[in-house]
Amino acid sequence: MAETSETMETGEPGSPPRRSSWRYIGPGIVVAATGVGAGDLVATLIAGSKFGYTLMWAAVIGCLVKISLAEAVGRWHLATGRTLFDGWRSLGGWTTGYFAVYVVIWGFVYGATAMSSSALPIVALFPDGPGLKAWAIITGLVGLVFVWFNQYAVFEKVMTVLIGIMFVVVVYVAIRVGPDVGASFAGLAPVLPDGSLVYTLGLIGGVGGTITMAAYGYWVNAKGWSNSSWMKVMRIDNRVAYVTTGIFVVAMLVVGAELLHSSQIALTKGDRGLIDLGQILEDRFGAGTAKLFLVGFFATSFSSLIGVWHGVSLMFADFVERIRAGRATGSTGTAIAEPGIAGTAGRETVGRQERSVPFRAYLLWLTFPPMTLLWLDEPFGLVIGYGVLGAFFMPFLALTLIWLLNSERTPREWRNGLLSNGMLGAAGLLFVVLCVQQVRDLPW
C-alpha cells in the first residue's frame, strides 16, 4: 500500500528510510536564515576588503564544519529520540548550570542587538520616519507577535521567503560588482597572508555558527521528523542549509574583494558596516541597487531575529520541561534520560511547547528587558559575561556532541565514525582557539 502524506510525515521506530525529496527541505532553510546575521556579513566583507579572494578556501572549510556540526545535532535527535538538552543533562549537572546562565544573559543582550540590526536598514530606507530606537522596538514587537501566534509551519514559510530575498539580493550584488572567476578559484588554495589568522578563523567558525545550530534538532522535530527513518532526509536538508550559507559567504567575499579591496575602502565594524556598503553601492550603481541591498539587509537581520525568538525559546521550553521532569522523578541529571520531544510526539509536542508558559516567557524576555539597552550603554559586567559565555558555547556544542555520539547513549548504528569524529574534533579545536581569542579581545 502506498504511503499517505500522514505516514510520510510521521514515522515509528523501525520504519524504512524515507525517500529523499526536495519538498521535505525546511529546517535547514530555517537554520541558514537564522544563523547568518548582519554582523556575519560585515565580518566577511571586511575579510574580503583586506585580503581579496585569498581566504575563499576558509569559507569552504567553514561550510563543511557547519554541515558536520548540524548533522551531528540532527542525528542525535533522530537516532536517540531525545532532545539535545536531554543529552546535555545526561552528562551531568554542570551542563544545566552553564546553559541556565548562558541562555538568560545571552538572550538579554542579543535581544537588543537583533532589534537594532533589524531597525538599521529601515531607518536608511525611510530617513524621515521614526528613529532607530522606535524602529528597533517595532521590529521586536512584530517578531514577538509573529512567533507568539504562529506555529512552526507558518514560521518556516516566512523564513523561506526571507532567505529567498537574502539569496537573490546578495548574489545579485556579487554579480553586479563583477567577480574575478580566476582569482576566486585561486583563493581555494590554503594561504595565510600576514595578519589574516583572526579573519581566517572567523570565516571558518563565525558565519552561521551560533546557538541556532543547537536549535536545528528542535526544528527537525517540529517538521515531524521523529526517528532514524528520516536520517537521509535530514542530511540532505542540512547540506542545503550550509551550501546556501556558503554561497552567502562567497558572494560577500566577492563584494568585499571587488568593491572595497581594490579601492581600499574601510567599513565600520558591526551592523552599521552594511549601511556604509549601501552608500557605496548607491554611489557606484545608483539608488535602486542601494535600496534593494537594504531590503536584503533587513531580510538578513529580521530572519535572525524571528529565528532566535522561535528556536531558542523552544530550547528554553525544553530546558524547563526537563528540569521539572527530573525533579518529579528525583533524577540527578546524570542518568540516561527517557525519550523527550523526538521520541514521543515529535511535531505534536513541539506544538504544545510553542503554546507553553516557558516558551512565551522566554519570548517576553528576548523582547522587553533588552529594550532598556537601547537607551543605556551595556554595563561592563554584562559585556564581559555575555562575551565569555558566548565564546564558550560553540566549543561546548562541538565537544559535548563528540561525547554523546560516541557513548552508549546513541544506538551503535548511529554513533560517530572516523570522519564524523575528525570533523567534530577539528571543529572543537577551532572553536576553542576562537573562544580564547574572543575572551582576550573583551574590554577587560
Side-chain angles (χ1 to χ4, degrees), residues 84-161:
L84 186 56
F85 183 74
D86 227 355
W88 286 339
R89 283 199 73 221
S90 74
L91 301 179
W94 65 276
T95 58
T96 301
Y98 166 71
F99 184 80
V101 176
Y102 170 74
V103 79
V104 171
I105 295 178
W106 181 88
F108 183 51
V109 179
Y110 180 83
T113 302
M115 287 186 275
S116 295
S117 179
S118 297
L120 277 171
I122 302 178
V123 172
L125 284 166
F126 305 104
D128 297 327
L132 179 67
K133 292 182 178 66
W135 277 120
I137 291 172
I138 291 169
T139 58
L141 293 175
V142 170
L144 170 70
V145 171
F146 172 75
V147 175
W148 189 290
F149 290 105
N150 289 289
Q151 293 188 301
Y152 177 79
V154 175
F155 165 72
E156 183 188 286
K157 288 181 173 63
V158 171
M159 292 292 275
T160 302
V161 171

Side-chain angles (χ1 to χ4, degrees), residues 164-175:
I165 295 171
M166 292 162 57
F167 188 90
V168 169
V169 168
V170 169
V171 172
Y172 167 77
V173 172
I175 293 172

Side-chain angles (χ1 to χ4, degrees), residues 426-438:
L429 180 60
L430 165 70
F431 290 125
V432 167
V433 173
L434 279 172
C435 174
V436 172
Q437 182 65 42
Q438 289 174 30

Side-chain angles (χ1 to χ4, degrees), residues 160 184 196 221 227 229 327 359 362 414 416 424:
T160 302
S184 298
S196 67
N221 294 151
N227 58 63
S229 69
R327 288 176 178 171
F359 180 91
Y362 195 73
W414 301 111
N416 280 356
L424 288 177

